[in-house]
Amino acid sequence: MMQAQLRCLCLLILHLATGYSHEGKFSGPLQPMTFSVFEGQQGSQVIFQFKASPPAMTFKLTGETDGIFQIQPDGLLYHNGALDRETRAVHKLQVSALNAQGATVQGPVPITIEVKDINDNRPTFLQLKYEGSVRQNSRPGKPFMYVNATDLDDPATPNGQLVYEIVIQLPKINNVMYFQINNKTGGISLTRHGKSSDVLTGLSESEKRDLDLCQLWRHFLFSFLLLPIGALELDPTKNSNYNLVVSVKDMGGQNENSFSDSTSVDIMVKENIWKAPELLEIVENSTDPHPLKITQVQWNEPGAKYSLVDKEKLPRFPFTIDQEGNIYVTQPLDREEKDSYVFYAVAKDENGELLSIPLQIGVKVKDINDNPPTCPSAVTVFEVQENENIGSNIGTLTAHDRDEENTASTVLAYKIVDQIPAFPKEGLFLVQAYTGVFQLAKQSLKKQDTPQYNLTVQVSDKDFNTLCQVEIHVIDINDQIPIFEKSDYGNLTLAEDTAVGSTILTIQATDADEPLTGSSKILYRITQGDSEGRLGIDTDPQTNAGYVIIKKPLDFETVAVHNLVFQTENPEPLVHGVNYNSSSSATFKLIVTNVNEAPQFTQNIYQAKVREDVAIGTKVGNVTAKDPENLDISYSLKNNKRGWLKIDPVTGEIFTMAPMDREAESVYRVQVVATEVGGSSLSSVATFHLALSDVNDNPPRLATDHPHLFLCHPLQAPGSVIFEATDDDQQFFRGPRFTFSLGSKVLENDWEVKRINGSHAKLSTKHTNFEERVYSVPIHISDGGEPELKGTVSLPVTFCKCVEGSCFRPAGHQSGMPTVGMAVGILLTTFLVIGIILAVVFIRIKKNEGKDNVEIAQTLSFYELVTNEPKQLD
């Protein structure tokens, strides 16, 4: 008995040490319970102490005990051996309470034992050796094979969390790892700089859809350039086989006591099959059924999604691709419409991401001879001068063919098939068979024979013929010189004041060449007698008549007689061997008579500038005039309204003769009259402008003579008014610079003045004790000029009662003006006197109509005396 008690005590102590419990309790009544027990623990381990309630006396254990779990009669549940989670992770037990007779009085009650995992199993690869292959230029980051390992420990715990790692890569060129492994999935892929294998990392799906091909290309190329140099060297022609040693660790690889395993991976590098095909040729206007397969592209791995991108954004794109990578042309092509196409084949994965750089597909449309030659125009016109030599080139007919250049389809041959007229003979023209150059074949041409030839030219390629029309115009040559109708046009006398533009002579020459051509058109020019260009000649284009016109005023004093020589010529050069002679020239004598002319000033406007305070008698300018007849000139002034200037009548010098004032007139304008002395006393007028520069000679003053300045009386607080100053001198560039001060120190206790800016100041009261009246405040104003001028102004400020912000003054009697009562009395008295006078006049007229007008006059005199107004009778 003592031994059993000791054993129970030991188990209890062990129970307390191991900490197995249910919700923190080590004992309790019999009820369904779940316990967690770590695997691998040796020796006896107490789990729980069940307590019996009468009539229960003992306990019995059944279920998946596996000979390890036991219960004492007093209800102590324990295990006496090590558990193995990998053998059984959960044990389902039943505990029953028995009475003294061994009968079950409670239960069986389910008891669950969960075996907690410990890291007691190492990971193992499923294969000792793996083999795989990858295509050159495969997409970095996309797994092309997997390695797998297993661990019997609980995968929900770190014990069963496996981490893969590439330990060795052979060969390892330039110390660059070409391969990488996903440490969780075991997927092996090619390496690439950066963390993401997405070529378009950072772009939203909508942005990827909106990218055009050029942007996709640049983005992919940029990503591709980020690859390590080793990945770019993954070339089966250099190294086709690589060996990797891959390890796997449990505990997430984070524990130094974790278990590991390793395996060998052999990788074969295969040639890249994602390549652009050679330039494709498609015969135009094909009659084969469409769509027509023209090539195929293929990604290195199955499952790629293919599409085409039109680089040129054509309105009609005649190509398509299926999901096997077969590319088709969907309709016949026309080389003359478009001779080549460039587009791109794109491969994407199941997520719509680019797998590699798009492939450029080039298509050349192969020509067939399906277009006839075309003429350059409805009619091609050549010109040939008469008397051209045999063999001379006339022109070149250049026909066109829309077929491919530099092929047999565009080799054109020329042949003349008809000549109209056939006069003077057939075959006057020759055309070079392959150049289209026309030449004179048999003789020179004469326009008098035929002015125009019409040729029909056959232009042929190897399959088609086209007829083109050619006109050859025979052009007259300039082999005749212009001839004057007379060689001397006599004399003509004109006054020197004859109006410019007057026609003074008509001359005429004739030319025997074809009318209205450059060979017969006549140009006239004066070769002698008019060195100053006072005359000109205009030609009538229809009649070739020449009109001699005065272009500039004639001048007797310069040239009194013009001995003119006229010369004619054609705008078209004369043919070789023909020259102008004396028949193409004529003479004419123009005599200019003198006219008395007014003096002429050297300029129309004379200008000068002086200070406004210049001394009287100062010379301010000089004018000069010249008489064409060399008569003496007398100068005088006109419109000298202010009498500021005088002029020397002989020399033209202008002097001041009175003080001048810029403020009265800043630019003084007078007229200068030059009159010839003797002769007809003709005169001419020029203008003299004298600009006066300012002198500071005006003291400052108020800008307004009677400024309406007021303050509301009584003052509630000191108030202020603003006033403006000005002066009549020229202001500074940045405006006036007035300064202000009070005019009397006595007023400094009542007023103060402050400058606001260069033109305004503020006058303020210093207290509120002012009477309701007008105050005149003296203000000193200085203009800051050189010399500085000061002025004292009296600034009236009215203190008055205010109504709605305005000064209110009740109307009062003004001296010298009648009151309202006086005005009414005067008016009534006037009306009464007028009534009496009219009554007297009316009565006397009725009583004595025969009396003379003396009495009426007396009555009227009385009226005038009373009213002080004259009275007239009708």
Side-chain angles (χ1 to χ4, degrees):
M1 183 68 180
M2 182 64 70
Q3 290 179 347
Q5 291 176 346
L6 289 174
R7 187 168 181 268
C8 289
L9 180 61
C10 291
L11 289 175
L12 179 59
I13 294 172
L14 182 62
H15 170 76
L16 295 173
T18 54
Y20 294 120
S21 66
H22 180 76
E23 297 180 354
K25 297 179 181 179
F26 299 103
S27 62
L30 180 61
Q31 59 184 352
M33 301 182 75
T34 300
F35 300 96
S36 296
V37 181
F38 280 104
E39 65 173 335
Q41 296 184 358
Q42 301 294 330
S44 297
Q45 303 290 333
V46 174
I47 299 175
F48 194 78
Q49 173 69 61
F50 293 104
K51 294 182 179 181
S53 298
M57 298 295 293
T58 62
F59 294 89
K60 182 178 71 172
L61 179 66
T62 58
E64 300 171 345
T65 62
D66 293 342
I68 298 176
F69 294 96
Q70 294 182 4
I71 192 168
Q72 293 289 335
D74 60 358
L76 184 65
L77 177 67
Y78 66 96
H79 65 88
N80 57 12
L83 302 179
D84 184 9
R85 191 199 67 82
E86 288 72 35
T87 301
R88 190 189 297 274
V90 178
H91 292 262
K92 301 292 185 180
L93 306 177
Q94 296 86 35
V95 175
S96 301
L98 308 177
N99 59 16
Q101 290 76 30
T104 300
V105 295
Q106 184 181 356
V109 175
I111 304 298
T112 302
I113 305 296
E114 295 177 346
V115 182
K116 297 182 67 176
D117 185 52
I118 64 173
N119 190 25
D120 57 349
N121 293 279
R122 65 175 293 188
T124 58
F125 280 100
L126 299 182
Q127 298 176 213
L128 294 177
K129 185 175 185 179
Y130 290 85
E131 294 181 350
S133 63
V134 61
R135 290 281 182 185
Q136 178 189 15
N137 198 34
S138 291
R139 180 181 176 188
K142 182 177 178 61
F144 58 85
M145 66 176 297
Y146 289 86
V147 295
N148 298 99
T150 60
D151 192 313
L152 296 177
D153 289 321
D154 187 358
T157 68
N159 303 326
Q161 293 179 0
L162 305 184
V163 175
Y164 298 92
E165 180 184 7
I166 297 177
V167 180
I168 299 174
Q169 170 192 292
L170 296 175
K172 191 176 183 182
I173 303 172
N174 296 325
N175 200 32
V176 173
M177 291 295 293
Y178 297 166
F179 303 95
Q180 61 187 351
I181 190 168
N182 187 307
N183 62 359
K184 291 182 174 57
T185 66
I188 299 176
S189 63
L190 296 180
T191 60
R192 200 201 76 184
H193 185 271
K195 295 182 179 180
S196 174
S197 62
D198 184 2
V199 175
L200 301 179
T201 299
L203 300 181
S204 67
E205 291 303 320
S206 62
E207 289 173 327
K208 295 173 187 176
R209 289 193 295 270
D210 293 340
L211 283 175
D212 62 21
L213 184 67
C214 291
Q215 291 172 306
L216 287 174
W217 180 281
R218 289 195 299 269
H219 197 97
F220 192 98
L221 184 59
F222 176 74
S223 300
F224 186 74
L225 291 175
L226 293 178
L227 292 175
I229 187 171
L232 298 177
E233 293 181 354
L234 192 63
D235 186 348
T237 61
K238 296 179 180 180
N239 289 290
S240 60
N241 291 283
Y242 290 84
N243 177 258
L244 307 179
V245 175
V246 179
S247 72
V248 61
K249 293 182 179 181
D250 60 14
M251 302 294 289
Q254 301 299 317
N255 193 310
E256 61 182 6
N257 297 322
S258 60
F259 295 112
S260 65
D261 191 16
S262 62
T263 188
S264 176
V265 180
D266 290 334
I267 299 175
M268 177 181 292
V269 180
K270 297 182 179 180
E271 182 182 3
N272 173 39
I273 60 174
W274 180 246
K275 296 180 179 179
E278 298 293 331
L279 180 66
L280 305 173
E281 288 192 354
I282 300 176
V283 177
E284 68 171 330
N285 298 324
S286 171
T287 58
D288 294 336
H290 287 74
L292 182 65
K293 179 180 176 180
I294 57 175
T295 189
Q296 183 181 17
V297 296
Q298 190 173 1
W299 177 241
N300 295 313
E301 301 165 2
K305 307 296 183 183
Y306 300 104
S307 61
L308 298 181
V309 177
D310 176 17
K311 175 183 177 182
E312 301 170 291
K313 308 288 186 185
L314 300 174
R316 182 175 57 86
F317 183 60
F319 301 96
T320 187
I321 189 171
D322 63 19
Q323 292 312 303
E324 299 299 324
N326 297 311
I327 299 177
Y328 302 88
V329 58
T330 59
Q331 62 191 40
L333 305 181
D334 185 358
R335 192 203 68 85
E336 287 70 43
E337 178 182 336
K338 185 170 178 58
D339 60 359
S340 64
Y341 296 85
V342 177
F343 54 92
Y344 290 90
V346 178
K348 297 182 180 181
D349 62 15
E350 64 276 4
N351 297 319
E353 305 295 338
L354 280 177
L355 292 171
S356 183
I357 298 174
L359 301 180
Q360 179 172 299
I361 311 296
V363 175
K364 177 183 178 182
V365 183
K366 192 172 181 180
D367 184 53
I368 62 173
N369 190 24
D370 58 347
N371 292 280
T374 59
C375 302
S377 58
V379 178
T380 300
V381 178
F382 297 139
E383 292 184 345
V384 57
Q385 288 187 341
E386 59 183 354
N387 295 333
E388 283 281 2
N389 296 326
I390 295 175
S392 298
N393 286 352
I394 299 173
T396 301
L397 176 66
T398 303
H400 304 283
D401 194 308
R402 296 184 63 201
D403 292 317
E404 186 175 1
E405 295 181 358
N406 302 319
T407 65
S409 300
T410 54
V411 175
L412 304 181
Y414 300 86
K415 178 182 178 181
I416 298 175
V417 296
D418 191 20
Q419 170 191 312
I420 299 175
F423 179 82
K425 61 179 66 174
E426 288 276 3
L428 290 175
F429 305 97
L430 173 68
V431 63
Q432 297 290 338
Y434 293 102
T435 64
V437 175
F438 281 75
Q439 297 173 288
L440 281 176
K442 294 186 176 180
Q443 68 177 52
S444 298
L445 305 178
K446 290 291 184 182
K447 185 167 185 176
Q448 292 81 357
D449 295 337
T450 301
Q452 177 178 314
Y453 291 89
N454 297 315
L455 305 181
T456 300
V457 181
Q458 177 180 287
V459 184
S460 306
D461 62 17
K462 65 177 184 178
D463 296 313
F464 299 97
N465 297 321
T466 300
L467 297 179
C468 297
Q469 302 301 316
V470 176
E471 286 184 5
I472 298 179
H473 297 171
V474 181
I475 304 301
D476 180 49
I477 60 176
N478 192 14
D479 56 357
Q480 302 292 324
I481 64 173
I483 298 175
F484 271 104
E485 62 179 2
K486 53 184 177 180
S487 61
D488 187 357
Y489 281 88
N491 303 333
L492 178 64
T493 300
L494 292 176
E496 64 176 333
D497 61 352
T498 302
V500 172
S502 300
T503 300
I504 62 173
L505 179 67
T506 300
I507 57 180
Q508 182 71 61
T510 59
D511 193 305
D513 288 314
E514 181 182 358
L516 303 178
T517 66
S519 298
S520 62
K521 181 179 181 180
I522 296 177
L523 301 178
Y524 299 94
R525 60 190 180 93
I526 300 173
T527 59
Q528 295 180 24
D530 187 27
S531 60
E532 295 185 356
R534 298 181 184 275
L535 303 176
I537 305 175
D538 294 339
T539 303
D540 187 323
Q542 301 298 321
T543 65
N544 275 336
Y547 303 102
V548 182
I549 298 173
I550 297 177
K551 298 291 187 182
K552 296 180 182 179
L554 302 176
D555 188 4
F556 169 82
E557 289 74 22
T558 303
V559 180
V561 178
H562 295 267
N563 291 306
L564 304 175
V565 175
F566 303 133
Q567 179 70 44
T568 65
E569 57 187 24
N570 303 125
E572 188 74 25
L574 296 173
V575 298
H576 181 70
V578 178
N579 299 301
Y580 297 105
N581 55 35
S582 60
S583 300
S584 299
S585 62
T587 60
F588 171 64
K589 186 175 184 179
L590 175 61
I591 301 171
V592 180
T593 60
N594 187 33
V595 175
N596 188 21
E597 299 169 277
Q600 296 177 356
F601 281 97
T602 57
Q603 57 193 72
N604 293 326
I605 299 176
Y606 295 85
Q607 295 179 341
K609 183 176 182 180
V610 296
R611 288 167 54 96
E612 64 175 323
D613 62 348
V614 65
I616 296 174
T618 300
K619 179 182 174 180
V620 296
N622 189 79
V623 298
T624 303
K626 183 178 179 182
D627 186 71
E629 289 76 35
N630 291 322
L631 295 176
D632 292 336
I633 295 174
S634 174
Y635 299 97
S636 61
L637 295 182
K638 186 179 180 181
N639 292 330
N640 188 15
K641 298 179 180 180
R642 297 185 182 272
W644 288 353
L645 301 176
K646 66 180 179 179
I647 189 169
D648 188 308
V650 177
T651 65
E653 294 176 318
I654 301 175
F655 302 88
T656 61
M657 63 176 294
M660 296 182 290
D661 184 6
R662 188 202 68 85
E663 288 70 35
E665 196 161 354
S666 60
V667 178
Y668 190 54
R669 296 174 176 85
V670 297
Q671 290 180 321
V672 182
V673 182
T675 305
E676 62 182 15
V677 178
S680 303
S681 299
L682 297 178
S683 64
S684 58
V685 178
T687 303
F688 180 73
H689 293 174
L690 181 61
L692 301 180
S693 57
D694 187 49
V695 174
N696 192 27
D697 57 353
N698 290 277
R701 58 180 175 82
L702 291 177
T704 304
D705 291 338
H706 301 287
H708 182 57
L709 305 177
F710 68 92
L711 293 172
C712 294
H713 187 275
L715 288 177
Q716 301 301 318
S720 61
V721 293
I722 295 174
F723 62 95
E724 180 183 3
T726 186
D727 70 16
D728 297 323
D729 291 316
Q730 185 174 4
Q731 298 299 328
F732 294 101
F733 174 74
R734 294 186 178 179
R737 299 187 299 189
F738 298 124
T739 57
F740 306 87
S741 62
L742 284 176
S744 173
K745 291 187 176 180
V746 177
L747 300 177
E748 290 180 353
N749 294 328
D750 300 327
W751 304 90
E752 66 176 349
V753 63
K754 291 184 179 180
R755 184 176 182 266
I756 297 176
N757 54 35
S759 60
H760 290 76
K762 179 170 66 174
L763 178 66
S764 304
T765 64
K766 286 189 172 182
H767 55 79
T768 60
N769 189 22
F770 288 88
E771 297 179 3
E772 185 180 356
R773 65 181 180 86
V774 178
Y775 288 81
S776 294
V777 182
I779 304 293
H780 287 324
I781 306 175
S782 175
D783 63 7
E786 294 181 4
E788 184 177 38
L789 294 181
K790 297 182 178 180
T792 300
V793 300
S794 179
L795 188 67
V797 180
T798 302
F799 287 80
C800 60
K801 290 183 173 59
C802 294
V803 177
E804 296 181 353
S806 298
C807 188
F808 172 75
R809 296 180 184 178
H813 172 69
Q814 298 183 18
S815 60
M817 296 293 294
T819 63
V820 175
M822 293 174 62
V824 172
I826 293 172
L827 184 61
L828 291 176
T829 302
T830 302
F831 286 152
L832 178 61
V833 171
I834 293 173
I836 294 172
I837 293 172
L838 292 177
V840 171
V841 172
F842 180 76
I843 294 172
R844 297 193 65 175
I845 289 174
K846 288 293 186 179
K847 289 182 176 181
N848 191 5
E849 294 180 353
K851 290 185 178 182
D852 57 6
N853 293 332
V854 176
E855 295 177 356
I856 296 175
Q858 292 175 349
T859 303
L860 293 178
S861 297
F862 174 75
Y863 169 82
E864 293 174 357
L865 178 62
V866 174
T867 62
N868 199 26
E869 292 182 2
K871 180 67 176 179
Q872 296 181 355
L873 292 177
D874 294 333

